Amino acid sequence: MAIPRAAKTQRRTRIQEEKEEIILEAALDVFSVSGFRGSTIDQIAEVAGMSKPNLLYYFRTKEAMHRALIDRVLFTWLEPLRAFDANGDPESEIRSYIRRKLEMARDFPRESRLFANEMLQGAPHVEDELRGPLKALVDEKAEVIRVWARNGKIAKCDPYHLIFSIWSTTQHYADFDVQVRAVLGPEHSGEGRFEDAARYLEQLFVDGLRIRGPHG
Amino acid sequence: MAIPRAAKTQRRTRIQEEKEEIILEAALDVFSVSGFRGSTIDQIAEVAGMSKPNLLYYFRTKEAMHRALIDRVLFTWLEPLRAFDANGDPESEIRSYIRRKLEMARDFPRESRLFANEMLQGAPHVEDELRGPLKALVDEKAEVIRVWARNGKIAKCDPYHLIFSIWSTTQHYADFDVQVRAVLGPEHSGEGRFEDAARYLEQLFVDGLRIRGPHG
DNA sequence: GGATAATTTGACCGATTGGTAAACATTACA
DNA sequence: TGTAATGTTTACCAATCGGTCAAATTATCC
């Protein structure tokens, strides 16, 4: 007898792998723009190029699709912070963290917007992950920064708000892309704006955190 | 013969003023969380405490409601930037701009989220305003900052990205409030977090933009 | 090639969507 | 107070929503 839902099979078929990939790709397109409530299965089905019942064969509900997407995105989204090295040089660690986050905003803007949409709606689907794994990771890295400040390697500052400010400034170029382009005008809306942003942000954070000399 | 829609009347009734206010207040509640597509007239009607056809008597369509709301919010949202004074002291101007923006994130988070939602969706309803009045205002203030930098009053920096970074860091506390609370934990989720943020951000921007002494 | 499992589709369901029509109630004003 | 304009509600509409079902099609494996 046939098992009606692919999700329940033991071994994943080649077709399953492929189709689920296509679906999640389409779902990312749609969810990242309209959020969960504002997106429809029909929209996703159209982008994915398959029928709605066919989508629902792979993901039983709209929620399941969103869930799978969020889980995947959340993991890769934290990669740059995980790579933040306690043993590295503070200045270059912060510098390369900013670079990595900015690269992600440039290369994966949909993922950033999906996450932003979820936050705006009060994180109804991921609050547990925020309070659990996310908080744990941030706590760990915040402690690293605190030690750097205590040892005089960087200026004293609230490590949590430092992390928030790096998040917000970098993700801004993905989430508020339309606004950035509108303000910069068409002549500065090429990919070069990410380089400009990188230069500015590195200056801001590095100078802002540098220990001040007697003339500072 | 009766004019069927209040919007077409010449003089605004007392009832019109009151009801439209109530509706926009309710619409702000709903739109700021779910975005345009994700919000329903029924939701807004329920929050407003009136029937759906009654809502539609004051605003003919969901779009009209959203439009009215966006127009109002966009104007007040730019107040702090308008107040940015070219003749003031650079350091204290930037400092108070950050404070004002942070106060707005604290006191009007729904307005911030409404705006963020619109940006995430690609600004389908306000792209003209972004390219027009918003860009004009930013251009003007960016020129002020550029002159300050040229005259050696602050460090050289890209004025547009400076403005972007102030926007993003301050609005973060409204738009990503859930995340901020989750990471800081319940013990630091009181209103004090805005004071902490203000202290941190002022340090970051003022030190980051201060002209460096020979030991900097 | 045939049996069996996996995949796809069209037809359909009840609930909800944005919005309307017209009857009804209330207000403002002479 | 009467009446015309304004405001409110009930009932309703077609379209779309998330999701189901059974039949049809395709892939897999002996």
Side-chain angles (χ1 to χ4, degrees):
Chain A
M1 68 199 70
I3 295 168
R5 298 292 178 178
K8 289 198 172 179
T9 56
Q10 310 272 0
R11 197 159 52 87
R12 284 164 62 89
T13 310
R14 188 202 76 230
I15 296 182
Q16 276 176 40
E17 303 262 12
E18 291 174 3
K19 291 299 171 73
E20 286 179 9
E21 188 56 40
I22 292 175
I23 292 170
L24 288 182
E25 176 70 13
L28 181 54
D29 260 11
V30 176
F31 281 135
S32 65
V33 170
S34 303
F36 181 75
R37 286 223 50 194
S39 304
T40 71
I41 303 182
D42 297 84
Q43 286 179 324
I44 300 171
E46 198 192 329
V47 173
M50 49 180 103
S51 67
K52 178 166 67 171
N54 200 5
L55 277 203
L56 290 164
Y57 171 75
Y58 293 99
F59 296 93
R60 280 212 272 258
T61 63
K62 190 173 131 180
E63 278 242 7
M65 269 172 39
H66 189 255
R67 179 86 225 167
L69 199 51
I70 285 273
D71 282 349
R72 171 198 288 203
V73 166
L74 197 59
F75 183 84
T76 64
W77 201 243
L78 286 175
E79 277 291 324
L81 187 55
R82 259 187 238 106
F84 200 91
D85 185 8
N87 301 319
D89 168 59
E91 189 172 308
S92 70
E93 280 302 314
I94 289 172
R95 222 184 264 274
S96 63
Y97 181 50
I98 291 171
R99 282 221 163 253
R100 270 193 294 264
K101 287 289 287 178
L102 219 35
E103 281 164 11
M104 295 199 71
R106 183 192 60 197
D107 300 336
F108 307 104
R110 294 175 306 170
E111 283 82 348
S112 182
R113 290 197 196 106
L114 178 81
F115 193 64
N117 251 310
E118 185 64 17
M119 293 302 109
L120 281 178
Q121 284 161 34
H125 307 98
V126 294
E127 232 185 329
D128 293 344
E129 281 88 342
L130 296 188
R131 278 204 252 273
L134 175 68
K135 176 169 167 41
L137 181 60
V138 175
D139 281 342
E140 175 197 331
K141 302 304 182 180
E143 187 53 33
V144 170
I145 295 171
R146 203 196 307 277
V147 170
W148 284 346
R150 188 175 306 147
N151 294 350
K153 296 191 171 182
I154 60 172
K156 278 193 214 309
C157 72
D158 187 317
Y160 289 95
H161 292 282
L162 167 58
I163 292 173
F164 291 154
S165 63
I166 295 179
W167 283 351
S168 60
T169 49
T170 54
Q171 291 173 13
H172 187 78
Y173 292 94
D175 304 343
F176 285 67
D177 183 55
V178 213
Q179 195 190 48
V180 169
R181 284 169 184 267
V183 168
L184 290 183
E187 67 276 19
H188 294 102
S189 288
E191 291 298 279
R193 69 187 185 283
F194 287 99
E195 263 312 308
D196 294 344
R199 241 191 315 275
Y200 164 77
L201 289 178
E202 284 184 31
Q203 175 196 326
L204 173 69
F205 283 103
V206 169
D207 287 356
L209 296 175
R210 191 151 16 209
I211 298 292
R212 321 230 117 251
H215 298 271
Chain B
M1 70 197 67
I3 296 168
R5 299 292 180 178
K8 290 198 173 179
T9 57
Q10 309 272 0
R11 199 159 49 88
R12 284 163 63 89
T13 311
R14 187 203 78 230
I15 296 182
Q16 276 176 39
E17 303 264 11
E18 293 174 5
K19 292 296 172 72
E20 286 178 9
E21 188 56 41
I22 293 175
I23 292 171
L24 288 181
E25 176 70 13
L28 180 55
D29 260 11
V30 176
F31 281 135
S32 66
V33 170
S34 303
F36 181 75
R37 285 223 50 191
S39 304
T40 71
I41 302 182
D42 297 84
Q43 286 179 325
I44 299 172
E46 198 192 329
V47 173
M50 47 180 106
S51 68
K52 179 167 65 171
N54 201 5
L55 276 204
L56 290 164
Y57 172 74
Y58 293 99
F59 296 92
R60 281 214 271 259
T61 62
K62 190 172 132 180
E63 280 241 8
M65 269 171 39
H66 189 256
R67 180 86 226 169
L69 199 52
I70 286 272
D71 282 349
R72 170 197 288 201
V73 165
L74 198 57
F75 182 85
T76 64
W77 200 243
L78 287 175
E79 277 291 324
L81 187 55
R82 260 187 237 106
F84 200 91
D85 185 8
N87 301 318
D89 170 58
E91 189 173 309
S92 70
E93 280 303 314
I94 288 171
R95 220 184 266 273
S96 64
Y97 182 50
I98 291 171
R99 282 222 164 252
R100 271 194 293 264
K101 286 290 287 178
L102 219 36
E103 281 164 13
M104 295 200 71
R106 183 192 59 197
D107 299 335
F108 307 105
R110 293 174 307 169
E111 283 81 350
S112 182
R113 290 196 196 106
L114 178 81
F115 193 64
N117 251 311
E118 185 63 17
M119 292 302 108
L120 281 178
Q121 284 160 34
H125 306 98
V126 295
E127 231 185 330
D128 292 344
E129 281 88 342
L130 296 188
R131 278 203 253 272
L134 175 68
K135 176 168 168 43
L137 181 61
V138 175
D139 281 343
E140 176 197 330
K141 301 305 182 182
E143 187 54 32
V144 170
I145 295 171
R146 202 196 307 276
V147 169
W148 283 346
R150 189 175 305 149
N151 295 349
K153 295 190 170 181
I154 60 172
K156 279 193 212 309
C157 72
D158 187 316
Y160 289 95
H161 292 282
L162 167 58
I163 291 173
F164 291 154
S165 64
I166 294 179
W167 282 352
S168 60
T169 49
T170 53
Q171 290 172 12
H172 187 78
Y173 293 94
D175 304 343
F176 285 67
D177 183 56
V178 213
Q179 195 190 48
V180 168
R181 286 169 184 265
V183 167
L184 290 183
E187 67 275 18
H188 293 102
S189 288
E191 290 299 277
R193 70 188 185 283
F194 286 98
E195 263 312 308
D196 294 343
R199 240 191 316 276
Y200 165 76
L201 289 179
E202 285 184 31
Q203 175 195 328
L204 173 69
F205 283 101
V206 169
D207 286 357
L209 296 175
R210 192 156 9 216
I211 299 291
R212 321 232 117 249
H215 298 271

